Amino acid sequence: MSSDETTKTETTVETAPSASPKRHRPVLVQMETPNLVPERDLGKMPVLQAEHLGIDFGGLTAVDDFNIAMGRTEISGLIGPNGAGKTTIFNLLTNVYKPTRGTILLDGYDTAGKSVVEVNKMGIARTFQNIRLFNKMTVEENVLVGFGNSMSTHLLTDVFRLPKHWKQEAEFHDKAMDLLGIFNMQGLAQERAGNLPYGAQRRLEILRALATNPKVLLLDEPAAGMNPAETEELMENIEKIRDDFQIAILLIEHDMNFVMGICEVIGVLDYGRIIAKGTPEEIQNDPKVIEAYLGKQGVK
Amino acid sequence: MTASKATTAQAGTPAASGYRSLSMPMRYLINAILVVVFLVVGELMIDGGVVSRYQTGVIEQIGIYIILAVSLNIATGYLGQLPLGHAGFMSVGGYSCAIFIMRMMDVVGVTARDFVTGSPAAVGLFVIGIIFGGVCAAICGLIIGVPALRLKGDYLAIITLGFAEIIRVVMQNIDGVLGFTLTGGAKGLTGIPSYTNFLNTFIVVAISLFLIHTMMKSRHGRAILSIRDNEIAAESCGVNTTYYKTLAFVASAFFAGVAGGLYAGCIGVMAPAKFGFMKSIEILVMVVLGGMGSMLGSVISATVLTILPEALRAVSDYRMVVYAVVLILVMIFRPEGLLGDYDFSMSRVIERIMNHGKRPEDFAPATTPAVEAVATAVASGAPSATTEKDTGKEASTHE
């Protein structure tokens, strides 16, 4: 088992303010590791920044000193053994959990004190590890719920079926179909989401998240339960989504071929701390990562 | 034969799928015609004396219970909560509508007879009164909904039950507090003109169902349904759950108030004792029996459960037993209700006839072979390789 000394990362220069329980106020700091952002995003402000993020559940520190700076069109991955705190980080970034310490800046704006809905409107969308679709609604309706915040008709306009209602419904029907086209799912539009096969449900969840017009997309195990051919297709599609929508994507995944194949930057999490961060090649050869996955015996 | 073939070919060309569908105005037109036909037939039967006065009264009650069941369905079937205070909103709507109409009659100069003959002033007063009743109930719904919707499940049921009792007790005692006669206290509000008849009940029912339908088939309705299906996911998709829960609750209360207004005019006497716990349960049973989330289900079960006690009057000693047995049987064999969440669509039926009984799926997909390949691959037990690898890896970690 790794002790605190071994888990301390090189990437954090200053000491984490883990001693003070108060959340410190927003400060736009240039991240210590700008070289980790893909070259094309270098000049721009990172779309998502987290500084010294941490959360305690009672006495247990689930996540500690988590730092990230994501380029605007970066695809990065978060890996780590089970229970390392990966999903907890997603929950922190989307404000499902209130961080005990640390700051999250989305496009330069602090998300502290915002509700889950507000954070989504600010530009973070996510999928879930255990699929959470609107099972009794159709595939198209699922996507349309995601579009909800882009739609503007007043309740009475909708209820009395004024012309504006029809115009908007038609417009967003087309948009939904375009979106479903990414995964060639137009034919399933009127199917109930709960009746879809597992892989299609995962894809639909990604589309629903995309419909909310995010700047950052958080994918929690997008390839879980997919066969190698589907995983391959998903990798291409995720890159296509990044290129078409110009968004940053952070994903959690256990499938190493997937992570190594698609991510430009990978962070390895163990016991709630980032133990290594780098390109796929660096991560594969990092002794600390090998230790976290295989135990001390694995290291020569 | 030949003519129909020709039209099929013509209609099929633009979509390249061959499936013939109805345009939206056409769908509304068909439904509107059906409603009018229904209305005219009903009115003729009553005028012609085919339907007796007593039966007309029962039909009016059916209409009132249809509105009640469908409005409760917004909160239970569509929003997925379990409020037990629907009778409370009904009584608020009933009292406020009846009091409003009774007080305004002198001001406007409408007599009780005018409601029967249907003078323009009386019709206007009726419309305003019904809306007034609905709005009063909706305000109550807002006041109750804001705190109550922070809770879920049993807790919400109990708190709404409590509020409904509060409303009942307020109706009973408010005269003493105010110092003048408003609700008539425990002996009830009497002398309500019978402003409810088959014609206006039917129109109000049709409009209510239309409005609830259009609300649910819009972005607002989708948001409400998404909360029922998965609240956490709805929040993460930017659905303001507090707002939409309250909206559904208030809409539910509004239509209950409208039904209450009709009820007051139908019965002629409002007494607080009528709006106890059992009334709420009665409405809830209709919704559960018909199928939560199905408008047609609510309509059918409201109809059946209003007729049943009347039809069983001959064996009135046993009717509660029959009622209970029916409920138990339904809950055992169809726990999701008679219709589940199936909803009937007239235009879908017509489209199916137009397409000679083929299903839309036979035409629809402009599916590329790739999609089908993926679909079949997924369907035929895909999650094998990756998951196994995962579990293997998980087992080896940390040790």
Side-chain angles (χ1 to χ4, degrees):
Chain A
M1 305 289 168
S2 41
S3 69
D4 268 9
E5 276 99 72
T6 55
T7 54
K8 193 139 259 167
T9 70
E10 302 96 317
T11 50
T12 47
V13 178
E14 66 205 275
T15 47
S18 48
S20 74
K22 265 213 245 154
R23 301 192 54 195
H24 60 157
R25 295 319 302 165
V27 268
L28 258 179
V29 212
Q30 188 56 47
M31 286 300 291
E32 298 86 352
T33 55
N35 58 321
L36 284 182
V37 176
E39 232 167 85
R40 60 178 183 282
D41 295 329
L42 264 182
K44 301 164 200 158
M45 180 199 269
V47 67
L48 178 69
Q49 267 183 306
E51 297 269 340
H52 310 302
L53 202 59
I55 185 168
D56 301 337
F57 295 119
L60 177 81
T61 302
V63 172
D64 196 23
D65 200 22
F66 176 76
N67 296 284
I68 193 171
M70 286 190 76
R72 305 201 77 88
T73 59
E74 175 183 333
I75 299 181
S76 50
L78 203 53
I79 61 172
N82 271 21
K86 302 183 295 292
T87 301
T88 308
I89 285 177
F90 271 26
N91 285 336
L92 286 173
L93 292 176
T94 51
N95 270 20
V96 173
Y97 297 149
K98 303 281 168 254
T100 315
R101 50 192 171 271
T103 323
I104 304 162
L105 296 180
L106 180 67
D107 224 0
Y109 294 100
D110 195 349
T111 67
K114 297 269 195 282
S115 69
V116 179
V117 176
E118 284 167 328
V119 168
N120 175 265
K121 285 181 185 167
M122 286 171 75
I124 302 183
R126 72 174 293 189
T127 67
F128 295 88
Q129 187 174 6
N130 44 343
I131 302 173
R132 290 180 184 274
L133 284 172
F134 309 129
N135 285 333
K136 287 182 177 173
M137 301 169 77
T138 66
V139 169
E140 190 192 339
E141 282 171 337
N142 267 268
V143 176
L144 285 174
V145 170
F147 274 123
N149 285 325
S150 324
M151 300 172 91
S152 58
T153 44
H154 189 262
L155 174 66
L156 294 179
T157 313
D158 285 334
V159 164
F160 292 105
R161 290 290 192 255
L162 300 183
K164 210 174 149 204
H165 164 86
W166 295 113
K167 218 178 122 197
Q168 193 179 58
E169 288 288 313
E171 182 193 337
F172 279 91
H173 169 77
D174 292 346
K175 279 193 180 180
M177 283 302 169
D178 286 349
L179 204 56
L180 287 171
I182 294 177
F183 289 126
N184 276 330
M185 284 169 75
Q186 299 103 317
L188 299 170
Q190 300 310 321
E191 200 75 31
R192 272 194 184 201
N195 296 345
L196 290 183
Y198 190 77
Q201 292 197 352
R202 284 231 171 267
R203 285 188 281 266
L204 177 57
E205 224 191 357
I206 295 174
L207 295 181
R208 188 184 64 188
L210 269 180
T212 64
N213 194 19
K215 295 172 185 155
V216 186
L217 185 60
L218 309 180
L219 303 177
D220 203 339
E221 301 200 16
M226 290 191 179
N227 65 28
E230 284 180 306
T231 309
E232 190 68 35
E233 205 192 319
L234 183 68
M235 281 165 70
E236 284 165 23
N237 279 320
I238 287 181
E239 281 178 338
K240 192 170 151 240
I241 287 168
R242 192 265 317 267
D243 295 339
D244 290 355
F245 291 81
Q246 290 292 310
I247 55 173
I249 296 172
L250 175 63
L251 51 91
I252 293 172
E253 188 48 66
H254 282 299
D255 185 334
M256 285 304 148
N257 291 330
F258 184 90
V259 176
M260 298 299 167
I262 196 172
C263 297
E264 294 157 298
V265 182
I266 295 171
V268 185
L269 205 66
D270 196 19
Y271 290 104
R273 281 172 166 272
I274 289 284
I275 56 167
K277 208 174 189 180
T279 61
E281 294 74 38
E282 288 165 14
I283 293 298
Q284 273 166 331
N285 301 319
D286 194 313
K288 266 183 273 166
V289 179
I290 299 168
E291 188 195 314
Y293 269 92
L294 302 174
K296 268 214 184 321
Q297 302 302 318
V299 190
K300 290 180 292 249
Chain B
M1 238 343 230
T2 47
S4 76
K5 253 184 197 163
T7 46
T8 318
Q10 263 173 6
T13 39
S17 60
Y19 187 75
R20 306 174 65 202
S21 57
L22 293 168
S23 67
M24 264 302 161
M26 195 64 189
R27 292 179 184 204
Y28 282 146
L29 191 66
I30 291 172
N31 286 320
I33 290 170
L34 279 175
V35 168
V36 171
V37 167
F38 222 123
L39 181 62
V40 169
V41 169
E43 192 67 3
L44 285 177
M45 281 170 82
I46 289 168
D47 281 356
V50 184
V51 181
S52 73
R53 227 189 137 86
Y54 161 72
Q55 283 164 335
T56 312
V58 175
I59 291 173
E60 283 167 18
Q61 289 212 23
I62 289 172
I64 290 161
Y65 278 106
I66 285 175
I67 301 179
L68 285 170
V70 174
S71 64
L72 182 60
N73 199 9
I74 301 174
T76 46
Y78 298 138
L79 183 64
Q81 306 294 338
L82 188 73
L84 283 182
H86 218 52
F89 300 129
M90 182 188 174
S91 75
V92 170
Y95 270 108
S96 47
C97 176
I99 291 169
F100 178 83
I101 287 182
M102 285 163 74
R103 299 270 157 123
M104 291 305 285
M105 268 165 71
D106 297 336
V107 180
V108 188
V110 175
T111 60
R113 258 208 77 72
D114 289 338
F115 285 110
V116 183
T117 55
S119 75
V123 172
L125 190 57
F126 168 79
V127 171
I128 297 169
I130 289 288
I131 293 173
F132 180 75
V135 170
C136 287
I139 291 168
C140 270
L142 186 67
I143 293 167
I144 293 169
V146 169
L149 289 169
R150 290 164 171 269
L151 305 171
K152 283 190 184 111
D154 330 6
Y155 305 105
L156 180 82
I158 291 165
I159 198 171
T160 47
L161 178 69
F163 270 115
E165 283 301 295
I166 291 174
I167 290 173
R168 191 177 63 82
V169 173
V170 166
M171 293 301 173
Q172 202 160 324
N173 299 310
I174 190 119
D175 284 3
V177 179
L178 291 174
F180 61 91
T181 311
L182 185 71
T183 64
K187 71 177 191 299
L189 183 69
T190 50
I192 304 169
S194 62
Y195 52 77
T196 305
N197 54 40
F198 172 76
L199 181 71
N200 59 27
T201 307
F202 191 92
I203 292 171
V204 172
V205 170
I207 292 175
S208 299
L209 296 195
F210 174 75
L211 294 181
I212 293 171
H213 170 80
T214 52
M215 184 178 88
M216 293 317 295
K217 295 276 178 203
S218 74
R219 74 184 183 100
H220 305 279
R222 284 193 293 267
I224 291 169
L225 289 173
S226 75
I227 294 171
R228 170 194 72 184
D229 278 4
N230 201 317
E231 197 174 333
I232 294 172
E235 261 187 329
S236 84
C237 288
V239 174
N240 188 343
T241 50
T242 319
Y243 171 78
Y244 281 110
K245 274 181 178 180
T246 316
L247 173 69
F249 202 71
V250 168
S252 173
F254 175 84
F255 288 107
V258 167
L262 287 175
Y263 184 81
C266 178
I267 302 295
V269 183
M270 291 290 281
K274 277 184 189 160
F275 302 101
F277 174 56
M278 281 316 289
K279 193 68 136 194
S280 299
I281 293 295
E282 213 176 295
I283 304 163
L284 184 69
V285 165
M286 288 174 183
V287 175
V288 174
L289 199 66
M292 292 202 222
S294 167
M295 194 180 266
L296 180 68
S298 298
V299 171
I300 290 177
S301 65
T303 311
V304 171
L305 290 184
T306 316
I307 294 177
L308 205 62
E310 302 294 333
L312 292 176
R313 241 174 231 288
V315 284
S316 57
D317 290 349
Y318 302 103
R319 81 179 170 181
M320 283 323 280
V321 179
V322 174
Y323 201 83
V325 169
V326 167
L327 265 184
I328 291 170
L329 289 179
V330 169
M331 284 301 108
I332 290 173
F333 293 109
R334 262 193 91 76
E336 72 274 30
L338 287 174
L339 294 183
D341 54 7
Y342 167 82
D343 241 331
F344 177 76
S345 158
M346 193 68 209
S347 12
R348 205 158 53 209
V349 172
I350 295 172
E351 278 180 3
R352 206 165 279 186
I353 296 167
M354 277 162 57
N355 293 291
H356 305 286
K358 287 176 197 152
R359 290 175 305 141
E361 295 90 284
D362 302 338
F363 299 94
T367 35
T368 55
V371 183
E372 273 159 34
V374 170
T376 44
V378 174
S380 57
S384 51
T386 40
T387 30
E388 266 168 36
K389 207 163 70 189
D390 274 356
T391 42
K393 196 194 301 153
E394 280 153 21
S396 66
T397 49
H398 281 302
E399 289 311 317

